[in-house]
Amino acid sequence: MIKIQVNGARLACDETGTGSPVVLLHAGIADRRMWREQIDVLAARHRVVAVDLRGYGESELPTTAFAHHDDVAGLLDALGLARAALVGCSFGGAVAIDTALAHPGRVSALALLGSAVSGHDWSERTNDLWEALVGEVDPEDFAGTAAGEVRFWVVGPERDPADVDPRLIAFATAMDERALAAELALSAVDVAELDPPAIGRLGQLTMPVLVGAGAADVPDIRQLADRIAAEAPQAIRLPDVPDAAHLLPLERPGPVNAALLDFLP
């Protein structure tokens, strides 16, 4: 692990390999550890950087205002990289998209796995699923909230917890408890959002884009994958990966790694 000074904050990264650069951006319920099944595989061909976004994992959170997408561009500056491919899952996918829109010359390709999109409003169906599966949670009860979020996102609304590897559930829960503490701290900091947001600008993603999702993920995520693929001019939509939910790279590394190796420049 190394820490790199980026826009006034020290960001924790794992860096390995040589070749064309690839930056891995984690989900909001996780940290850079979620890429443990991808790093060594990709490093055989690429210079791979897995980063904890500001406030998450082992990265710092100064109280000054910032934007995650500007931090990604700043990370490339600090690493001496003119451009890189960005691979993002969930919230990390949204940050990757925002970076590509805010700094289009810095992004050579996008691989989006179960990606969120800034400006997207969750559907009534997804809100109803959350109420049915999780209900009210105390945001300061990290253990209880993490258990609910893992039930919703990692298990998924269409599976039973008994059908999912308990080691995955335990690891995801530990990452999410840490991420919830990060999000509570982030709520006290001015985090700038892309303006206008990405949801109405997907057609501006002119670089190659790979889009995938787990077949057991929430419906909105699969529909967002369809929309990105339909609107981004050079997008490729992978078939939904069977028996996988929101942390697709961690749960089904085989097909994810194969798709990334085939796609990344």
Side-chain angles (χ1 to χ4, degrees), residues 13-91:
C13 303
D14 296 320
E15 182 180 8
T16 187
T18 58
S20 59
V22 177
V23 176
L24 307 177
L25 302 172
H26 60 81
I29 60 172
D31 53 51
R32 73 185 195 279
R33 291 176 292 169
M34 69 161 285
W35 301 108
R36 64 186 186 183
E37 301 292 343
Q38 282 70 52
I39 291 174
D40 289 344
V41 172
L42 296 180
R45 300 184 188 177
H46 300 277
R47 180 181 176 185
V48 180
V49 179
V51 61
D52 282 334
L53 293 167
R54 189 185 301 215
Y56 290 88
E58 297 177 282
S59 288
E60 293 179 345
L61 181 62
T63 57
T64 53
F66 77 101
H68 287 297
H69 51 272
D70 291 336
D71 273 1
V72 176
L75 176 66
L76 299 184
D77 291 338
L79 294 171
L81 298 173
R83 304 172 79 214
L86 305 183
V87 180
C89 178
S90 185
F91 169 65

Side-chain angles (χ1 to χ4, degrees), residues 4-264:
I4 299 175
Q5 191 77 16
V6 175
N7 297 336
R10 295 172 70 225
L11 303 187
C13 303
D14 296 320
E15 182 180 8
T16 187
T18 58
S20 59
V22 177
V23 176
L24 307 177
L25 302 172
H26 60 81
I29 60 172
D31 53 51
R32 73 185 195 279
R33 291 176 292 169
M34 69 161 285
W35 301 108
R36 64 186 186 183
E37 301 292 343
Q38 282 70 52
I39 291 174
D40 289 344
V41 172
L42 296 180
R45 300 184 188 177
H46 300 277
R47 180 181 176 185
V48 180
V49 179
V51 61
D52 282 334
L53 293 167
R54 189 185 301 215
Y56 290 88
E58 297 177 282
S59 288
E60 293 179 345
L61 181 62
T63 57
T64 53
F66 77 101
H68 287 297
H69 51 272
D70 291 336
D71 273 1
V72 176
L75 176 66
L76 299 184
D77 291 338
L79 294 171
L81 298 173
R83 304 172 79 214
L86 305 183
V87 180
C89 178
S90 185
F91 169 65
V95 172
I97 294 170
D98 287 355
T99 305
L101 293 171
H103 307 279
R106 310 302 302 275
V107 180
S108 59
L110 286 173
L112 306 170
L113 305 166
S115 185
V117 178
S118 63
H120 169 73
D121 293 322
W122 296 111
S123 69
E124 185 176 345
R125 180 185 181 190
T126 293
N127 290 331
D128 288 345
L129 285 170
W130 175 271
E131 288 300 318
L133 290 172
V134 182
E136 292 291 329
V137 293
D138 178 356
E140 295 188 9
D141 176 7
F142 297 153
T145 303
E149 290 192 341
V150 168
R151 171 65 186 91
F152 188 76
W153 293 110
V154 179
V155 175
E158 300 170 6
R159 297 191 295 184
D160 187 88
D163 299 329
V164 179
D165 187 338
R167 294 169 298 180
L168 172 65
I169 291 177
F171 182 47
T173 301
M175 285 195 296
D176 194 25
E177 287 185 20
R178 191 169 186 175
L180 287 164
E183 289 174 354
L184 184 62
L186 281 161
S187 68
V189 178
D190 184 8
V191 184
E193 299 181 356
L194 188 69
D195 185 22
I199 194 64
R201 303 170 60 187
L202 298 173
Q204 299 174 31
L205 298 173
T206 57
M207 65 288 297
V209 178
L210 182 71
V211 189
D217 208 339
V218 300
D220 274 29
I221 292 295
R222 303 197 303 270
Q223 290 162 10
L224 279 174
D226 291 339
R227 179 167 177 178
I228 296 166
E231 296 185 20
Q234 294 195 67
I236 300 168
R237 175 70 159 95
L238 294 171
D240 287 346
V241 178
D243 196 25
H246 203 51
L247 294 185
L248 177 58
L250 190 58
E251 187 170 14
R252 294 289 176 260
V256 168
N257 293 347
L260 291 175
L261 287 171
D262 185 58
F263 170 74
L264 290 170

